[in-house]
Amino acid sequence: MLERLRNVFSLLGRKGVEDAIKELQRALILADVDIKMVKELTDSLRKDIQEELKKHPGIPPTEIAKYAIYNHIINLLDVGRPLKISPQTIMLVGINGSGKTTTAVKLAFWFKNRGIKSYVMSLDTERPAAKEQLKQLAEKGGIEYTEEVRNDGVTIIDTPGRTAADEKLLEELRHLKMDIMPDRTFLVIPADMGRLAGEEARKFQDSIGIDGIIITKMDGSAKGGGALVASKEANIPVYFIGTGEKLQDFEPFDVEKYVKRLLGVPDIKTIQEMVPQETKIPERFDINTFHEQLMQMRGAGPLNKILSALGMNVPVDVLEGMEEKMKRYDAIYKSMTKEERANPDIINESRIRRIARGSGTSEADVRQFLRDYKRAEKLFKRLKKGKIRGLPRL
Amino acid sequence: MKLIGKILEKLRGKKSIEELEMDLLEAHVHPDVIDLLKKAEDPISFIKERLRAAPLEGRIIMLVGINGSGKTTTAVKLAHYFINKGYRTAIAASDTFRAGSIEQLEEWNKRVPFILFKKGYGADPASVAYEAVHSDAEKIIIDTAGRQDTRKDLIEELKKIKRVSGADKTIMVVDATQGVSVLEQVKQFQEHVPIDGFIVAKYDIDSKGGVPLTVGVYTGLPIFFVGIGQNPDGLEPFDPDKYVKELI
């Protein structure tokens, strides 16, 4: 969606409300939001803005419009719901290729990280090697594969890919559900599904009963407008979104976070969540701490996620440059002596030369490293005072 | 192509592209494509010219696309198609990333007698393709790992497979159920690995969606086949006439 939504706000400042609304329409269409719904939304938006303007003649129209747009989108996409962390059986259903199998393991992994024993189980006897795929993935996440529903934890059940278009196959799925009697049945919808998402949600709901939706592949350029609106229309909450290839790339759907990310508002909550949980604010900040933080950021997943959580929309080129930089920084760090890491102030010109040679980088690289370190140190001091405003610019 | 002409001819009297816009948007045809149609002097012949089917030629065929679009199933269907035509056909299991992808092809191989080249997970995808290409197979289909269009690093990998294999045709497998984001995906892939055309998978699930029109008209590249169902024989030539008739 919606790098374009950012344009909406900037257009609002430059050209006024009507142009901004037009841009919003286009942004929503590009996000696979159903055209009728787009019309409804913008009609009600126009009305709202006019009424608010009458009520508050003192406030600039652009501010009123901004507020109204934000609220309308939140309202349109307010479909998230948290999942109870307790032993249960969850069955996943959905179209072929939506990402059910990966999601099964991600969901099990999510429970496991919250202290609940979790299992996965495959009822997909159709897709060749489906069980094999599930087993391999489960093993990666340290999750046990089971042949039957377990009572001592969470069991996630993978099913064959089904589309709502085939009623006969859907009927089979309904029988499967009756045999298993899961506590919850989730429909898995990929973020790039278009107009069909609504139809799928409705038909699955009617024929087998759906308790929630999981949207996968949110890391691509599609941002799930089809699926989100489908859930809104069918009145089925969205529990999770999948945001990458790794097992930990999986999070509960939080509408405010989502919309803020779309609109480019920095989101401190996401950044804090990305920092591994055992991380405490260290007592002292030296190059060791700096290096550790950098490497943790790398471990937290592709940089673009962290940056997009910060409301930065960085071209992929730049990001790749950054990954490169991380590698260089790692080499520079490794070429420093223990003493230098603990006391960066002693690093003089000749030490810089040595470090550059040792790490196979240039002196300019080492100086840049030291500058970034200084910046991070400053930030660290602010963080200790409890005032974080942004990560250091790399 | 006659039918398209007739339908659009009929529509021409009553509806302009502007009036059709709502229908097209409802089918999730990308707004950029609608803009192209608006600009075209004669939108009808523009569609006719750009939305086209073509026979699939060449010895080495590489399949690319995002995760879950249907590449592996399509690879098997293509193999089945070529085997039926009497070609000795191989599949290179160059998706060495996705769990279960190799076993999936092994399972299919029990039913469809293609020659399977595989090396195990984590192996260099290009080297798997290389082996297949240097075998005596008459048709080689290279199945690659799915990647999101935002992962430039991974798309970059495809370049190497293409170079090493000397693929005659690079085909992007797109999913008929997708929304307008399909165009962004096509653009991203095309920027890194020039593609020669498309196969639209899962066409039986949504034959009224905007995906074929969007990718076909925007790129002008042919749609070689559409995928129907899960069986190896579920591959049909694309029929632009029928499609446009259902769309509008």
Side-chain angles (χ1 to χ4, degrees):
Chain A
M1 226 162 174
L2 298 177
E3 298 85 54
R4 297 195 75 101
L5 276 181
R6 282 169 220 186
N7 300 348
V8 174
F9 282 171
S10 79
L11 267 175
L12 199 52
R14 289 201 319 271
K15 288 184 141 180
V17 175
E18 196 43 43
D19 277 343
I21 288 180
K22 286 230 171 78
E23 182 64 19
L24 178 68
Q25 275 182 340
R26 197 175 162 95
L28 292 171
I29 289 168
L30 287 180
D32 287 321
V33 177
D34 178 70
I35 181 71
K36 286 185 193 125
M37 204 169 262
V38 173
K39 292 231 141 165
E40 273 168 33
L41 179 120
T42 44
D43 287 348
S44 115
L45 189 59
R46 283 198 187 92
K47 228 173 84 194
D48 234 38
I49 294 175
Q50 273 170 4
E51 277 169 17
E52 289 298 306
L53 275 173
K54 271 185 219 150
K55 272 192 243 164
H56 312 282
I59 302 174
T62 50
E63 289 311 303
I64 284 181
K66 233 186 232 180
Y67 186 72
I69 290 171
Y70 182 79
N71 281 336
H72 267 79
I73 297 175
I74 290 266
N75 196 27
L76 173 72
L77 303 177
D78 186 13
V79 290
R81 190 182 295 173
L83 182 59
K84 213 171 144 198
I85 303 169
S86 61
Q88 56 191 298
T89 305
I90 299 174
M91 184 166 123
L92 302 183
V93 298
I95 193 170
N96 323 63
S98 58
K100 276 180 305 302
T101 307
T102 307
T103 302
V105 180
K106 281 180 170 181
L107 185 55
F109 192 71
W110 187 85
F111 275 111
K112 184 188 155 209
N113 282 348
R114 278 152 191 79
I116 299 214
K117 187 110 181 75
S118 39
Y119 303 91
V120 290
M121 170 177 156
S122 177
L123 292 179
D124 183 357
T125 49
E126 251 158 60
R127 176 195 172 111
K131 196 191 264 191
E132 202 48 49
Q133 182 186 1
L134 186 63
K135 277 183 180 168
Q136 281 178 21
L137 273 174
E139 202 178 315
K140 266 191 206 166
I143 288 156
E144 205 177 307
Y145 182 86
T146 176
E147 294 285 355
E148 53 186 24
V149 173
R150 307 287 284 248
N151 293 320
D152 58 334
V154 167
T155 311
I156 313 290
I157 300 163
D158 191 16
T159 63
R162 287 282 185 267
T163 150
D166 195 325
E167 278 164 28
K168 213 180 101 215
L169 292 176
L170 219 53
E171 183 61 20
E172 274 175 39
L173 202 58
R174 197 171 67 87
H175 284 290
L176 213 56
K177 182 178 169 178
M178 278 157 63
D179 287 345
I180 298 280
M181 300 273 278
D183 299 306
R184 288 192 167 79
T185 306
F186 287 160
L187 176 64
V188 179
I189 306 181
D192 58 7
M193 188 180 263
R195 51 190 271 283
L196 218 56
E199 209 177 304
E200 290 281 307
R202 259 193 317 277
K203 285 196 180 156
F204 267 95
Q205 175 72 310
D206 291 349
S207 58
I208 66 169
I210 299 296
D211 305 294
I213 288 174
I214 297 179
I215 305 176
T216 57
K217 306 183 197 173
M218 281 289 223
D219 52 326
S221 59
K223 288 291 174 267
L228 286 167
V229 170
S231 99
K232 177 83 176 184
E233 277 199 305
N235 199 17
I236 309 167
V238 173
Y239 282 93
F240 292 97
I241 55 174
T243 58
E245 286 176 349
K246 294 197 209 74
L247 292 183
Q248 60 268 34
D249 296 335
F250 191 68
E251 55 189 66
F253 179 69
D254 176 336
V255 67
E256 278 191 36
K257 198 157 102 177
Y258 178 79
V259 172
K260 276 182 187 163
R261 213 183 286 180
L262 295 177
L263 294 173
V265 183
D267 179 4
I268 297 304
K269 216 161 105 194
T270 305
I271 300 155
Q272 284 166 347
E273 278 169 13
M274 277 177 188
V275 178
Q277 279 169 2
E278 66 272 18
T279 315
K280 300 238 163 51
I281 296 177
E283 275 309 302
R284 224 178 95 74
F285 195 86
D286 59 16
I287 287 189
N288 289 312
T289 351
F290 177 55
H291 178 257
E292 207 178 292
Q293 300 280 326
L294 282 180
M295 293 305 121
Q296 268 174 9
M297 257 172 84
R298 248 174 112 178
L303 265 172
N304 54 7
K305 262 198 236 157
I306 292 164
L307 293 171
S308 84
L310 276 168
M312 290 185 223
N313 189 22
V314 185
V316 184
D317 285 352
V318 179
L319 281 175
E320 278 169 357
M322 284 188 176
E323 288 285 352
E324 279 305 302
K325 196 164 174 177
M326 290 284 212
K327 278 184 206 151
R328 274 205 305 278
Y329 276 17
D330 192 33
I332 290 173
Y333 169 80
K334 285 181 176 137
S335 294
M336 289 178 171
T337 65
K338 264 190 193 153
E339 205 190 349
E340 284 164 349
R341 289 176 197 160
N343 277 315
D345 288 339
I346 65 166
I347 302 179
N348 57 19
E349 285 300 307
S350 80
R351 283 179 192 260
I352 286 177
R353 269 197 297 283
R354 196 208 73 242
I355 295 167
R357 262 203 313 279
S359 58
T361 61
S362 71
E363 288 170 35
D365 285 337
V366 180
R367 285 196 197 92
Q368 185 66 42
F369 177 97
L370 292 170
R371 274 199 296 277
D372 282 345
Y373 159 71
K374 282 277 174 210
R375 241 190 255 143
E377 188 194 21
K378 248 187 229 161
L379 182 88
F380 165 75
K381 283 178 182 156
R382 256 199 281 159
L383 188 76
K384 280 202 92 174
K385 283 189 219 150
K387 285 188 287 184
I388 182 164
R389 286 218 181 80
L391 290 179
R393 230 167 54 84
L394 287 168
Chain B
M1 288 291 174
K2 271 183 206 151
L3 191 55
I4 277 199
K6 270 187 203 155
I7 295 159
L8 292 171
E9 211 82 48
K10 258 192 199 165
L11 291 168
R12 196 186 287 187
K14 300 171 202 154
K15 286 186 174 180
S16 63
I17 286 294
E18 275 80 2
E19 284 170 274
L20 281 177
E21 187 167 359
M22 277 303 280
D23 294 338
L24 294 174
L25 284 174
E26 231 165 275
H28 285 221
V29 172
H30 197 288
D32 283 2
V33 172
I34 297 174
D35 285 348
L36 281 179
L37 293 178
K38 281 183 188 167
K39 270 183 223 150
E41 215 167 276
D42 181 358
I44 288 112
S45 42
F46 188 70
I47 293 181
K48 271 161 75 176
E49 190 187 298
R50 297 189 62 96
L51 183 67
R52 60 196 175 94
L56 181 56
E57 282 154 3
R59 175 176 175 245
I60 306 163
I61 290 149
M62 172 165 146
L63 301 181
V64 303
I66 72 151
N67 324 57
S69 58
K71 278 177 301 306
T72 304
T73 307
T74 301
V76 173
K77 288 178 175 181
L78 274 178
H80 178 84
Y81 171 83
F82 286 130
I83 290 167
N84 269 358
K85 292 199 151 202
Y87 291 106
R88 201 163 44 249
T89 304
I91 294 182
S94 288
D95 179 357
T96 57
F97 177 79
R98 179 171 62 84
S101 65
I102 298 173
E103 287 83 353
Q104 190 182 353
L105 282 171
E106 282 168 345
E107 282 297 316
W108 277 124
N109 209 1
K110 291 177 190 160
R111 292 165 55 187
V112 184
F114 50 84
I115 310 156
L116 179 60
F117 287 87
K118 55 174 183 185
K119 279 201 174 166
Y121 295 102
D124 176 15
S127 79
V128 183
Y130 182 87
E131 252 182 50
V133 167
H134 288 83
S135 72
D136 64 351
E138 294 160 317
K139 294 277 181 188
I140 295 118
I141 298 147
I142 305 170
D143 182 26
T144 65
R147 36 216 53 191
Q148 289 296 312
D149 54 326
T150 44
R151 294 296 300 275
K152 205 166 148 186
D153 47 341
L154 293 177
I155 298 178
E156 205 54 23
E157 238 179 61
L158 294 173
K159 243 192 216 166
K160 186 182 167 196
I161 308 178
K162 180 166 183 166
R163 197 180 59 238
V164 169
S165 66
D168 300 307
K169 286 275 185 312
T170 305
I171 298 179
M172 182 159 176
V173 178
V174 292
D175 177 339
T177 67
Q178 269 181 269
V180 294
S181 61
V182 69
L183 187 60
E184 191 52 36
Q185 294 167 358
V186 168
K187 285 183 192 167
Q188 288 296 334
F189 269 82
Q190 223 178 359
E191 202 177 300
H192 300 280
V193 241
I195 53 182
D196 302 298
F198 304 94
I199 291 179
V200 181
K202 305 179 203 173
Y203 190 71
D204 53 322
I205 302 173
D206 190 8
S207 59
K208 295 181 193 115
V211 168
L213 189 74
T214 297
V215 302
V217 169
Y218 189 85
T219 63
L221 295 169
I223 294 170
F224 295 110
F225 290 103
V226 294
I228 311 284
Q230 292 294 308
N231 289 325
D233 60 358
L235 202 59
E236 287 176 10
F238 175 57
D239 182 346
D241 290 357
K242 210 172 134 206
Y243 165 68
V244 172
K245 192 181 165 194
E246 288 205 4
L247 185 71
I248 302 178

